[in-house]
Amino acid sequence: MESATSRIYFCEGVYEGSITHPRALSYFGGLDCGTWAYIGKRATIRSAPGSIALHIANAKDVAVADLDFEAPSASGKGASSIAGFIANSTVSLTRTSFTAGAGRDGESGPAEGGTFNPAVAPNGKGAQFRRFPQPIYQANDLCPESIGGGGASEGRGQAGSPVMPTPHPDTSTDGAGGADYGVDRCNPAAHTGSNGSGGAPGQPATRYGVLDANGWHADPGGAGGKGGVAQGGGGAGGSNLGTAVGFWWGASGGAGGCGGVGGSGGLSGGSSLALIAFGAHVTIRDSRFSADTAGIGGTGGGGQMGQTGGAGGIGSDEHACPGGRGGAGGSGGGGAGGAGGLSVGILFTSSALTIDGRPARTAASYDGITIAAVGVSGGMGGPGGAPVPGVTDELTRGTPGTPGKSGVISALFELP
């Protein structure tokens, strides 16, 4: 850590730009521009949008006096306004002020796009005549665990996969194999596969973000859960014509649809932070801090619609039965909303701050620190994906995302 052995002086006036000097320097204002005598009129350092007016890192014994630092309101989606940032340094601030502009509303999470490609799972394979026993299956290449049940030459066809852990209330959609043709004439028929369940809602971030030596990084809302994979339709029965002739194998069930992807979480609203301190020792005297309003959290993205199940394979009019349709994939859950931003006078962690001789701790209000009067809300949760067309089973609908948590308004806010 380099000591500040050199000084830079500012006479009264407004200076557009930022102090981010790579060397350890001390900075003094309050001087008359004609005589360079001390008159106590502060100079103002005003940064450009997206920049920090004062940034000191990895330095010790830095003194800053008689200077005002201003950061304008943020300009990009979810962007923050930060007037000062001190990291891993020892600094004294005397007769200074730090003023941050408003943070911007967070960006919404993108909706997870449209329908599947292909929109429909593979259809089952049709009935086939074979000399030797060999069941017929149909898998879904996009979610290989969903398989239409294999047909049989005698007896019932095989059930579709995967078998659902919780049976659906409608027993005609349990993916059971159908009866054979030779004895039961396809009664009962192969069942449709069970639909996949809708995805779980995205959950809000458990923390507001992370403060490190590189700055403030806000956490987004959580993504929605993926919809469940549907069960393949049941396989069908066929006919055993005898080993001398051959076997009619019933058609396979259609493959079940894949589950839709959950929506992305909304991004956090931008913050208004007058001063950030990370791993720093900062001694503050006769100084003022002002934070503006923060941005509202972004809305969570919508969940993707599940994939339609494939049709059962076609039977033979006189020898083999048709397969069952594959179930519909569950639609994705909605993403959680992003958290509201922070309106904080001094945000700090792993730091020792002293303000006019008193150790700094988290405090809603503090003399010399102005913050927004009202906090901002978190973003709304995104919508869950709708059931696939023609499916009335509401259990396949994705659950809407959870709203993001409200932002923080606090004069002093210490992060763990």
Side-chain angles (χ1 to χ4, degrees):
M1 185 181 294
E2 185 182 2
S3 295
T5 57
S6 300
R7 297 182 175 190
I8 293 180
Y9 293 93
F10 296 85
C11 64
E12 60 180 307
V14 177
Y15 298 83
E16 303 289 343
S18 302
I19 294 179
T20 56
H21 204 284
R23 293 177 53 203
L25 300 168
S26 288
Y27 307 91
F28 298 93
L31 304 178
D32 179 80
C33 290
T35 64
W36 289 95
Y38 180 79
I39 58 174
K41 291 186 177 181
R42 299 178 187 170
T44 298
I45 311 299
R46 182 178 297 153
S47 65
S51 298
I52 299 172
L54 175 67
H55 186 188
I56 298 172
N58 304 314
K60 65 180 181 179
D61 303 328
V62 174
V64 180
D66 296 297
L67 291 170
D68 296 330
F69 298 93
E70 297 178 359
S73 294
S75 58
K77 273 283 190 181
S80 296
S81 175
I82 302 170
F85 180 27
I86 300 172
N88 300 319
S89 300
T90 304
V91 178
S92 66
L93 303 174
T94 305
R95 296 182 301 278
T96 61
S97 71
F98 291 80
T99 303
R104 289 292 302 275
D105 292 346
E107 189 168 4
S108 297
E112 292 301 334
T115 58
F116 273 85
N117 184 18
V120 180
N123 297 331
K125 295 178 180 178
Q128 297 182 24
F129 176 77
R130 297 188 178 187
R131 294 293 302 276
F132 303 101
Q134 186 176 356
I136 306 164
Y137 302 95
Q138 179 61 64
N140 189 334
D141 291 339
L142 296 181
C143 46
E145 63 269 39
S146 183
I147 303 172
S153 62
E154 52 186 336
R156 299 194 69 146
Q158 297 178 355
S161 297
V163 176
M164 298 300 172
T166 303
H168 195 279
D170 183 359
T171 57
S172 68
T173 59
D174 61 4
D180 67 8
Y181 183 90
V183 176
D184 297 315
R185 293 296 189 266
C186 308
N187 186 21
H191 288 185
T192 298
S194 290
N195 297 325
S197 57
Q203 297 299 313
T206 58
R207 61 185 184 183
Y208 284 99
V210 176
L211 178 58
D212 61 22
N214 295 313
W216 169 243
H217 315 281
D219 286 350
K226 185 176 181 180
V229 173
Q231 182 184 22
S239 303
N240 182 354
L241 304 183
T243 55
V245 180
F247 304 85
W248 269 100
W249 289 86
S252 73
C258 300
V261 177
S264 299
L267 301 186
S268 174
S271 294
S272 177
L273 306 170
L275 178 66
I276 294 176
F278 173 80
H281 287 73
V282 185
T283 302
I284 300 169
R285 302 182 187 89
D286 299 325
S287 294
R288 299 290 181 264
F289 302 86
S290 178
D292 206 332
T293 56
I296 297 170
T299 301
Q304 182 187 32
M305 181 183 293
Q307 186 185 33
T308 299
I314 299 172
S316 168
D317 290 341
E318 298 181 356
H319 300 291
C321 308
R325 172 175 285 279
S331 297
L342 314 181
S343 174
V344 173
I346 304 177
L347 179 71
F348 60 103
T349 187
S350 304
S351 298
L353 271 66
T354 302
I355 303 176
D356 296 325
R358 292 178 292 171
R361 298 287 185 269
T362 294
S365 61
Y366 204 92
D367 290 343
I369 299 179
T370 304
I371 54 176
V374 180
V376 295
S377 63
M380 296 176 59
V388 302
V391 173
T392 59
D393 182 2
E394 284 295 309
L395 296 177
T396 66
R397 183 184 295 275
T399 307
T402 307
K405 56 187 177 182
S406 298
V408 171
I409 51 172
S410 185
L412 300 167
F413 192 58
E414 184 174 11
L415 294 169

